[in-house]
Amino acid sequence: MAAGGVKQALGELNKDSFVTLLSKLIGESKYVQNNPPDLIPEEDRIVRHVLDVLRPFSTATGGGPLVINHVAYKPNRGNLIVEYPGTQPGKILSFVGMHMDVVTAIPSEWDFDPFTLSIDGDKLRGRGTTDCLGHVALVAELMRRLGETKPQLKSTVVAVFIASEENSSIPGVGVDALVKDKLLDKLKQGPLFWIDTADKQPCIGTGGMIPWKLHVSGKLFHSGLAHKAINPLELAMEALKEIQSRFYRDFPPHQNEKVYGFATPSTMKPTQWSYPGGGINQIPAECTVCGDVRLTISFDEAMSGVACNLDSRGFHVLCKATEEVVGHVKPYSITGSLPLIRELQEEGFDVQTSGYGIVHFLLHASSLLYTIARLVLGDSWFEVAAPYKCHRGGESLLVAGLALRFQSQKVLLPCKKTAEEIGLLQKWRERIVPMLTHGRNLKPSTSNM
């Protein structure tokens, strides 16, 4: 069947049906949070709702052509493989990666109940609407329409709803186990679309990741007698400054970053800081700084990045479909890591990635950054999109706003910015810097940090 005939047969997305299903899935999100050992998701709660939608059109009930396989390796933690058979053997395409677990949410930090679907204008809100229960509902609706309308397709269409994507500390639960048991082998015969990104554009690359830890030993003493102490905090800051300087010299922006549309170059930065504790007047004996390296091109790092095959027919079809539906196509890459996709690539799958929804930096009223943003930007600003444009050394606006470097109350501009961004930085300098510096000039040295 020609593409136009398929679209005509399937029709438009039934929004009422989609929202009804998504509402049920978000209602289960509290029980599919993935953060072992405290929170172990029960993905079968999601499976049951998807089965309620698809089973009436399955071979199991005699109501349709869908072949459904519920595969579980742990109690209450199932995966779901749904197949719509095509007419031509060997032709296949698949949608994989719609995971049925979510990251944790603390209700007190949200402006609305994260575990209940709410609608604000044209926005659907709740934990998992984008990552990734919204994709579960979307692909489930697609498979339902295939089973309902029964178009004659040359290619078999397979949807794989997976468990355990957000946390890999408990192995052998999700797609890794399905691949190991060769349940997905036939998907290698065609493009595999991993549906777990956002912003409605093809994601064609991800970054590699190396975790690191720096432990610094000093000498404990009273801060009033600093000459008798060795301050590990200052040592750590000086050491990290030198390490970062060397990193950015050794790993400058790469020419392929433009080809793959990376928003940032490779980065190295701290993300955690710990020390044994003590009074404010006590210089500690030790501290530990942890962080990660994000690489835009693949080295022999601990967790390799992904580069999708730009010559794949699947990639070209995805771009064409995106342009037709969205109105434009702009493939992009991120320095976030997606190890499951990398593993599929290494197993011989032609992986292309995309997804729907919008990723933006939400600032909640209870957070310090939200308060600062309102002071800087005015009450009319409630969210800031694309906060990653300048991502080196803790100098990005708002994301690491409190770590901005100051010199005589002038914010340094380490990379080219738009007029709008320069205006935002100027507002930051005028309104926030005086509050943070209490009217004094701060020099970017460890003695003032």
Side-chain angles (χ1 to χ4, degrees), residues 150-214:
K150 305 179 184 65
Q152 293 294 307
L153 304 180
K154 292 181 180 180
S155 296
T156 294
V157 181
V158 179
V160 184
F161 305 90
I162 63 173
S164 193
E165 190 273 346
E166 294 291 3
N167 190 298
S168 60
S169 60
I170 302 176
V173 178
V175 70
D176 55 335
L178 297 176
V179 171
K180 182 179 179 181
D181 283 355
K182 301 186 182 302
L183 295 177
L184 305 183
D185 271 10
K186 66 180 180 181
L187 305 188
K188 296 177 183 179
Q189 300 173 14
L192 184 156
F193 297 99
W194 184 271
I195 309 298
D196 184 30
T197 55
D199 292 336
K200 305 182 290 297
Q201 293 291 336
C203 179
I204 56 177
T206 66
M209 192 274 279
I210 307 172
W212 58 265
K213 178 170 69 175
L214 176 65

Side-chain angles (χ1 to χ4, degrees), residues 164-282:
S164 193
E165 190 273 346
E166 294 291 3
N167 190 298
S168 60
S169 60
I170 302 176
V173 178
V175 70
D176 55 335
L178 297 176
V179 171
K180 182 179 179 181
D181 283 355
K182 301 186 182 302
L183 295 177
L184 305 183
D185 271 10
K186 66 180 180 181
L187 305 188
K188 296 177 183 179
Q189 300 173 14
L192 184 156
F193 297 99
W194 184 271
I195 309 298
D196 184 30
T197 55
D199 292 336
K200 305 182 290 297
Q201 293 291 336
C203 179
I204 56 177
T206 66
M209 192 274 279
I210 307 172
W212 58 265
K213 178 170 69 175
L214 176 65
H215 182 78
V216 181
S217 297
K219 182 181 178 183
L220 183 149
F221 217 87
H222 194 284
S223 65
L225 301 170
H227 64 289
K228 293 181 177 292
I230 298 175
N231 194 326
L233 305 177
E234 291 185 331
L235 286 177
M237 287 187 284
E238 290 290 350
L240 185 57
K241 178 181 178 181
E242 177 62 24
I243 292 171
Q244 284 185 299
S245 295
R246 294 190 182 191
F247 175 86
Y248 289 118
R249 285 199 303 268
D250 294 341
F251 300 95
H254 192 277
Q255 59 184 5
N256 284 342
E257 291 168 5
K258 289 185 178 180
V259 176
Y260 275 83
F262 278 98
T264 72
S266 298
T267 61
M268 177 187 178
K269 65 278 183 191
T271 58
Q272 295 177 330
W273 190 300
S274 62
Y275 77 107
I280 191 69
N281 61 351
Q282 187 177 59

Side-chain angles (χ1 to χ4, degrees), residues 315-369:
F315 172 68
H316 294 297
V317 169
L318 177 59
C319 287
K320 183 178 179 181
T322 301
E323 185 173 23
E324 182 177 331
V325 174
V326 179
H328 70 282
V329 59
K330 187 179 181 181
Y332 70 98
S333 297
I334 57 174
T335 52
S337 57
L338 295 173
L340 293 180
I341 296 180
R342 181 69 181 192
E343 292 167 8
L344 287 173
Q345 274 194 332
E346 292 173 347
E347 290 288 337
F349 294 88
D350 176 16
V351 182
Q352 304 294 327
T353 68
S354 189
Y356 306 91
I358 299 176
V359 170
H360 38 226
F361 187 61
L362 294 179
L363 306 174
H364 297 293
S366 60
S367 72
L368 175 61
L369 285 183

Side-chain angles (χ1 to χ4, degrees), residues 208-211 299-304:
M209 192 274 279
I210 307 172
F299 299 92
D300 293 328
E301 63 271 14
M303 185 183 296
S304 299

